[in-house]
Amino acid sequence: APSVCCPLDLEDVVRMTSRVFVGPGSPACSPTHGRQTLQQHGPHGFHCIGGQSQGHNHVHHIPRPELPNSTEAMCRQAAAAVMRAYTDGYTRQAVRLRLDAAYSGQEDLRALLKASLPLAKSFATKLWNGESLKAVKTSLVDDDVTTLLYREADNALMDAAVLYLPSREVVTSPKFTHFFQSMGDRLVIMTNTENAAANWRVENMGADFYDNPDVGLEICKMFAQQSYYYQLVPINNWQVTFFRAYPCPWELWIEDLNYNLVKLGESEQKPSYDQIVAWTEAYEDGVGVRAFQKVGKLLQDNQQRLDPDDASFALSAS
């Protein structure tokens, strides 16, 4: 297993962008220049087949992504979704990767970081379809688990920064707000903010930033585009899966009493708790599920541990 990276002074983090930062007005700093570079390196202009979705600047044409069956597929999907959003002008994005195949515990954030860091690195490596990649530099930037994965490319415009498990205090610090500015038109991605030591959600629009709500609001607005989201969580006594890959709608799935995945619905916005409860209750009424049945299944699920040799969602990131 890889060792956890060493702490890095935030001044050094800001210096990492010095080779790519150019002054305002420079062609390399303009959004159109960055988008032209992407268009030269990969296809764009897709729409989501089976559920059409209009992009920010144009319609996207892609087969609707299916739920991934491995962490390798998940990381590939996430990187592709991010790049589709980038073609539509979203240089600042949020992503949530499903981590339970790498670490199923709840308390030890250091163990979570050590076990799941290969997933974050696999995702960072796959940005820009892996083109022009020189290295992914990994650094711990606080005393907890906030980690910067900096994708350094031969073409400086294809550099990207992935902040993994980023805490509230880090993202609102003056040095990191300067870092975001210095990245100009290059990708910056907040990844798994919900799993950070001081966790937060972009859709809460700063409400999680108790000590610095104004700056928190600006950060949430900046990273409001959740271009990829894959998470399993118990809600209303069901194992509920959220899935979204830009530009397709959000999908909500549950695992039925026979362990089959059932799609409950989809929406253009992330489903709220009330919407999820309404969908699950409609499903229960439709198929005749009784309360003791779903509670019994959930208790059984909680007693089981993931077997890496038999898991359908296998740890296979590279």
Side-chain angles (χ1 to χ4, degrees):
S3 59
V4 176
C5 40
C6 297
L8 179 70
D9 188 273
L10 290 184
E11 292 286 357
D12 296 327
V13 176
V14 174
R15 289 192 202 106
M16 292 180 70
T17 62
S18 61
R19 79 179 192 94
V20 300
F21 178 68
V22 287
S26 168
C29 208
S30 70
T32 54
H33 188 89
R35 230 71 67 220
Q36 290 167 357
T37 301
L38 179 58
Q39 292 168 15
Q40 293 167 1
H41 287 82
H44 72 108
F46 301 91
H47 84 93
C48 195
I49 298 171
Q52 183 167 318
S53 180
Q54 180 76 32
H56 182 67
N57 293 324
H58 50 264
V59 176
H60 291 262
H61 303 273
I62 58 167
R64 175 168 296 200
E66 298 179 352
L67 296 179
N69 59 7
S70 70
T71 54
E72 171 71 10
M74 174 184 67
C75 293
R76 191 184 313 115
Q77 280 185 346
V82 165
M83 298 315 300
R84 288 193 297 269
Y86 183 75
T87 67
D88 283 345
Y90 296 105
T91 62
R92 304 293 181 263
Q93 302 177 37
V95 162
R96 185 167 192 180
L97 303 174
R98 182 175 161 184
L99 306 180
D100 55 294
Y103 180 75
S104 58
Q106 301 291 328
E107 303 296 332
D108 191 342
L109 287 178
R110 289 281 178 165
L112 169 65
L113 175 62
K114 184 175 181 178
S116 64
L117 189 58
L119 300 185
K121 188 171 183 179
S122 175
F123 162 65
T125 300
K126 290 174 173 59
L127 295 170
W128 289 93
N129 200 30
E131 294 183 27
S132 190
L133 176 64
K134 288 178 63 177
V136 175
K137 299 179 178 179
T138 306
S139 302
L140 193 67
V141 297
D142 66 1
D143 294 329
D144 291 311
V145 292
T146 303
T147 303
L148 174 66
L149 297 95
Y150 193 86
R151 181 195 193 271
E152 186 177 359
D154 293 316
N155 179 349
L157 287 173
M158 298 167 75
D159 281 11
V162 176
L163 267 174
Y164 184 54
L165 309 178
S167 288
R168 297 187 296 266
E169 292 79 2
V170 170
V171 301
T172 55
S173 66
K175 289 177 182 178
F176 259 93
T177 55
H178 174 64
F179 173 76
F180 301 147
Q181 294 173 355
S182 71
M183 285 295 289
D185 195 37
R186 294 154 195 83
L187 270 170
V188 182
I189 306 156
M190 297 285 186
T191 309
N192 288 73
T193 66
E194 300 90 343
N195 300 112
N199 56 71
W200 54 287
R201 298 174 184 269
V202 294
E203 66 265 26
N204 288 347
M205 286 292 119
D208 303 317
F209 292 77
Y210 315 110
D211 298 328
N212 206 346
D214 293 337
V215 177
L217 175 60
E218 292 306 310
I219 293 295
C220 290
K221 287 180 178 179
M222 186 185 304
F223 291 91
Q225 179 54 251
Q226 299 185 71
S227 51
Y228 189 82
Y229 198 102
Y230 186 39
Q231 176 63 10
L232 176 69
V233 62
I235 298 178
N236 197 25
N237 293 313
W238 290 103
Q239 294 284 5
V240 176
T241 297
F242 291 83
F243 181 68
R244 197 269 168 133
Y246 185 93
C248 298
W250 290 77
E251 300 176 8
L252 198 75
W253 299 72
I254 63 166
E255 198 176 67
D256 70 10
L257 298 178
N258 296 315
Y259 293 90
N260 299 310
L261 285 172
V262 177
K263 184 177 177 180
L264 292 187
E266 61 181 49
S267 64
E268 289 300 318
Q269 304 298 323
K270 184 179 181 181
S272 66
Y273 177 80
D274 290 342
Q275 179 66 71
I276 295 168
V277 171
W279 281 348
T280 55
E281 289 179 348
Y283 168 77
E284 293 165 18
D285 292 341
V287 299
V289 174
R290 302 177 67 177
F292 76 88
Q293 291 176 300
K294 65 174 184 175
V295 172
K297 178 184 178 297
L298 186 64
L299 291 175
Q300 184 177 359
D301 293 341
N302 291 336
Q303 292 172 355
Q304 295 175 345
R305 293 188 178 274
L306 184 67
D307 184 342
D309 296 326
D310 298 330
S312 58
F313 186 66
L315 180 60
S316 58
S318 61

